[in-house]
Amino acid sequence: MKIRTTLIIIVIAILAVPGFVPAALGTSKGQLSVIIDTESIRADEAQAIAHNLRAIGVSADVRIWEWSALKERIQAGERQIYLTDWGSAYFDPFDIVVPKFLTGDRGNYTGYSNSRFDAALNQALLAVDADVRKDAYFDAQQILFDDAPAIFGYSLTEVEAARSDVLNWQPSMDSRVNLHDVGLARGDTIVVGLYADKVVTLDPAAYRDRPTETVIRNMFDALVTRTWDGRVVPEIAEGWRAVSDTEYLFKIRKGIKFHNGDSLDVDDVVYTFDRVLREAGMGGRTSPRQGLLGPVEKVEKVDAYTVRFVLSAPFPVLPQALVHFQIVPRKHLERVGDEAFAREPVGCGPFRYVEGRLDDRIVMERFDGYYGGSPMLPPVATAQVKRAIFRMMPDPTVRVAALKTGEVHVIQSVPAHLVSALRRDRNIQVKSVEGTRVYFAEMNCTRPPFDDPKVRRAMNYAVDWDTILRTIYAGNATRLSTAFLPSGFGFNPDLAPYKYDPARARALLTEAGYLTR
Amino acid sequence: MGHVSVPSDELYKGAMATARPAESARALHRRGTMRRLMAHGGGRTGLIIVIAFATVAILAPLITPYAPDAVDLESWLTPPGLESNHLLGTDQLGRDILSRVIYGSRVSILVGLATICISSVVGVGLGMLAGYYGGVLDRLLARFTELLLAFPYLIFVIGIMAIMGPGFCNLVWALSFKGWVEFYRLARALTMAEKNREYVDAARALGRSNGAILLREILPNMANSILVLGTLRMGNMIVMESSLSFLGLGIPPRIPAWGSMIADGRRYMLGAWWVATLPGIALALLVLGMNLLGEGLRDVLDPKMMEG
Amino acid sequence: MIRLTRTQVKIAERILATIPLALGVAIVAFVFMRAMPGDPVDIMMGEGAWTSEEEMAALRDEMGLDEPIHAQLWAYLKRVLAGDLGYSMIRSRPVAEIIREALPATIELAVFSLLFALAVGIPVGVASALKPNSFVDRAGASLSLLGVSLPAFWLGIVGVLIFSMTLGWLPTSGRIAYDAQPAHITGMVILDAIITGNLPALGNALKHICLPAVTLGLGVAAVVARVTRSSMLDVISADYIQFARAKGVPEGEVTRRHALRNAMIPTVTLVGLQFGSLLGGNMIVETIFGWPGLGRVVVDSIFARDYPVVQASVMVYALTFVLINLATDIIYTVLDPKISL
């Protein structure tokens, strides 16, 4: 036999086998057929969902995308079901439910629109009275639950781990790694393995992402800060007072020093906010954080230790928002310029910058002139450790390996399947906090089949979240009834999530006119 | 990317020699290639491995204990062993790894075959045109391929996948997009060498058209070289698919492919080594087989080696 | 007037020819990035609430993204020709600075992978050639084929699990410990440690580079072994070697003095080609080992649609690729005067 013939026969034999070439899924007439889109990180979950949907006679398949590419197609209304998530920083539905489900808002990928829901949200946003806001959010929650624009999912518990010789360590809900209070039983340098490829900048006005904020907040302080479980407490400010719905006064603590020795005063505070609010305020560029200040119109000096925030509309979450605006030294920044400042930042936080590379590691040292931080967060003193290093460690397996070998002391985001093994390790302590990010599978409500709420509810009944969360996420997750977070304002604990009920799902699908095999 | 291919120069050395025996030697050295391949240690091993994999792939539905996409979350990450019902364990969705590895051979072979087919058809076609006609076309293609080679491959593929979106066919296209360059260079070099030979002149004298000369005279003469290059490159393509899966841009996950199985299982290496390692071994074996076969073919089809 | 030799003229020509190529690559990268779905401003803004369309439009305007594509391209090319690579959209720093910072790490890793590949590949290749079809030959061939066929990210993680976690010999990731850093001279820490005679730093850096270099270099080692083997086989059967043998030169000396030297010529060419692919092919290895090099910058920037960074990095890769090929061609002519450029 000729060799070429042999090879050609092999090739033909392979191609001739029926079903060898992965073909499109066969769909019988009248059967519902969907494609679930996801980023690779949630591919497992997407397949489990597809498996659940197939069990009720829906032909379901999964596609893995690069996020930006997928997002553009979602926004063009071309996709069907897509696994997405959205994080909240303000502990209020303001920055999670509003952008996700308010008609036409920036994060509204489902095309969901319900005027009753919008009215309830708007009422909650503009009211200052807490009870009115809460009632409005309760209404909104019920409407959202019934309309089910998404297969509502869960929030992941943030699991972090540290070597057992790290003292007084507590992960916080806003995924901040606060090294001020942390001590070491042995040694004086603490190393943190960040779940990040890079930090974007060291300038508190020039970023929008969490890892950057985590690093920056160890070198800079803000007017207010948060306890690990999300309460807002004063930091640079001694206290604050709402004069009206649209005017707030903040009193500044005396005797705070920046790392270069300058004293912090009201001018620094005014300058910090002015830099963010002003067009091209950051050395010719506009701060990407501008929008985070919402309706804040201007920030002005009242006297040497008082500053006034003037708003164009009520903004009840202002104190929550101010946690994320770190104060910069005006005189120093004006002298060295924005670019040099980002390279060698000077703040008033517990650590001062030593050296670093944004995609490698950032090294900082204890600032001995530190005022002690928020009196509500003991110990009120300089940092316990002499030096802190943040290392970028994008690979989860390597991060855990580095913790086990002792190369790093603290790591973020422990992979779910390793949590129990790490808990058994005597050299390691594992702690978790409730997450502030909502995960769900959104549906395209603008087009059949998901323009029909019956079908959307059927999807919600069809997915066996309990099993998915127990296995794939090893139980480190909280099932949610809607997109409202338990930690956020206005959460209704009595609204139970959709139960896993395939029979009911089938019934709903049949009612909507689809065959369920 | 991290995997490297045999430089084309080394291939050309063998391939150019292969194409040389144009007339009578051709018939002589073709006869019995199979027998000589079987006598060539590496070639024989390679052929046996490839045939074994092809057989497993064809018989997949008959020999797998489970459906490759049968999700069973309750028994996720079961270690391999005889005590459970999963000989090679299960993956992060409780799917049977043995079944997935067996079905994965279909997809991986198919990815390899399809990309190589597309690459070789495009590459050989353009290469022959460039080599035969030369001129502006040749110069244009030379610049274009230079550009493609200088462009980092992974960036290129990420971009293509983002533009086209996920899917089996898109992946094959993305992999072929640069794969053809090597076939192009080989075919161009061979065509330039062949076009001035007597038999081509003779065909021209008989009034054959250029198309006929290219297809009927020159192409059969370089088929062996292309075959060799294709066999050697197929493994690379299968490995390349795994790199894309690593970056989250692979094949739709319901289709079991070794590359994406390794990439997914990598996250579980600590604690569940088998998820990524077993398909890795299968992949390594097949690539080994393809390469041995390719090298065996090169040695056998190369008359210089035959005489020596 | 200086008279140039023919070779020098050719070299000059080749160097000049890289300019249009670099521009071509820049144009392709430019068009390519714009063709990709996604918008850098949108990605940078993440999920923040209260981000208005006006705010995003203003940022786009600041970055020049609202101009027509051809105008953007033209402006970009003009700036590049003037030596200005632009400003990163996400990292708020000049692109040139980002590349200057990341490139040394990438070059260092590529060089060490190559050294590893040569240190392993050449002896294996020679040994297999001296005793073809022996056990050594078979084992070498199989191992080198495995080296080519195992994905780097798998090898890397297995390496970390074995050598860092289980044996505790090597660090899991990173480039050098903070307290062991040598003075900054070239940015390549190993070179800096050697220049400053800082032995602890050198040791620390070498420990860090081991795993990534081996992971990246294994595939190349395989290719080097195969090429060395085949060129050794060619050389051994050559007349002058048979002649040397006939003259009674000891076998070891034949191998070392005559055969190996000549067999090295193709290996040297190969080294040049592979160095280029090592530079461009290290993105995954850099991600796994947290190695702060250009590969990671590029992958991150392509996902963030940081256009200027991707464009500039692609140009750097392309230029390196072309220049290294040129360099090997030059070395080749030096080794074997019969060949001209």
Side-chain angles (χ1 to χ4, degrees), chain C residues 268-288:
Chain C
V268 166
T269 326
L270 170 77
V271 161
L273 285 171
Q274 296 296 338
F275 191 75
S277 80
L278 281 176
L279 273 181
N282 53 11
M283 293 148 197
I284 288 176
V285 174
E286 285 186 2
T287 303
I288 290 173

Side-chain angles (χ1 to χ4, degrees), chain B residues 37 40-47 49-50 231-232 285-299, chain C residues 138 141-142 145 226:
Chain B
L37 187 70
H40 183 282
R44 184 180 54 222
T45 322
L47 188 65
I49 293 178
V50 170
T231 341
L232 288 173
L285 259 179
L286 177 62
V287 175
L288 186 76
M290 293 300 307
N291 278 303
L292 285 175
L293 176 63
E295 292 194 335
L297 278 177
R298 193 185 56 199
D299 289 351
Chain C
R138 287 280 153 74
S142 311
L145 284 171
R226 285 160 68 178

